[in-house]
Amino acid sequence: MEKLQFKAKGSGLELYTINIKRKDSGQITITCNCMASFKGLHCKHRIKILSGDYSLQPNTKATKEKAKTLESWLVNSELKKSLDYYFVCEESFQSLKSALDKSKKDLIKIMEGK
Ligand SMILES: [Zn+2]
């Protein structure tokens, strides 16, 4: 089993630790020590690291090596496929949310004769 560790921050000030393990079978598991992850819920800290946001890691050669290793683990993995699909859904959701917000504003304008 191989292991990697990263730090990530959400909207607050707290710094979280992301632990990534890869089994010999290629299975990758990722944990974060935030409350959402602890409860088995989606957490943005893990997504940040998986999407290549290493901004909170020290700017060293070791960090670059770790990032490279993680990226190589993700190639053709079940995790990467699931992550890519998540991003497609997230993008569709944001696009629909914008359209809904605009339609509400347009509707109000018409209702109020503006
Ligand atoms: Zn987290």
Side-chain angles (χ1 to χ4, degrees), residues 16 32 34 37 43-46:
Y16 297 105
C32 173
C34 75
S37 179
C43 106
K44 58 193 164 201
H45 315 113
R46 288 182 282 190

Side-chain angles (χ1 to χ4, degrees), residues 7-16 34 44-45 48 56:
K7 295 284 179 192
K9 215 161 79 171
S11 43
L13 294 170
E14 267 180 287
L15 202 57
Y16 297 105
C34 75
K44 58 193 164 201
H45 315 113
K48 267 190 181 179
L56 285 173

Side-chain angles (χ1 to χ4, degrees), residues 4-107:
L4 294 172
Q5 191 173 80
F6 293 93
K7 295 284 179 192
K9 215 161 79 171
S11 43
L13 294 170
E14 267 180 287
L15 202 57
Y16 297 105
T17 302
I18 317 297
N19 281 303
I20 307 177
K21 292 178 189 170
R22 188 175 78 150
K23 291 182 183 170
D24 294 338
S25 65
Q27 186 192 12
I28 303 165
T29 57
I30 307 183
T31 57
C32 173
N33 64 344
C34 75
M35 194 47 76
S37 179
F38 180 73
K39 289 178 181 172
L41 303 171
H42 173 88
C43 106
K44 58 193 164 201
H45 315 113
R46 288 182 282 190
I47 298 296
K48 267 190 181 179
I49 296 301
L50 287 174
S51 59
D53 179 351
Y54 306 117
S55 55
L56 285 173
Q57 321 310 310
N59 188 16
T60 61
K61 201 178 163 189
T63 295
K64 285 186 188 105
E65 298 272 315
K66 273 202 296 187
K68 255 189 174 174
T69 302
L70 176 58
E71 279 152 28
S72 76
W73 288 1
L74 290 175
V75 174
N76 294 324
S77 67
E78 186 188 6
L79 175 61
K80 177 76 169 118
K81 281 177 210 149
S82 184
L83 185 69
D84 287 346
Y85 183 62
Y86 161 77
F87 285 128
V88 168
C89 292
E90 182 68 40
E91 203 178 298
S92 301
F93 173 74
Q94 292 304 332
S95 167
L96 273 176
K97 192 178 176 302
S98 297
L100 177 63
D101 290 347
K102 189 183 179 305
S103 79
K104 284 180 181 173
K105 283 178 190 155
D106 291 348
L107 189 58

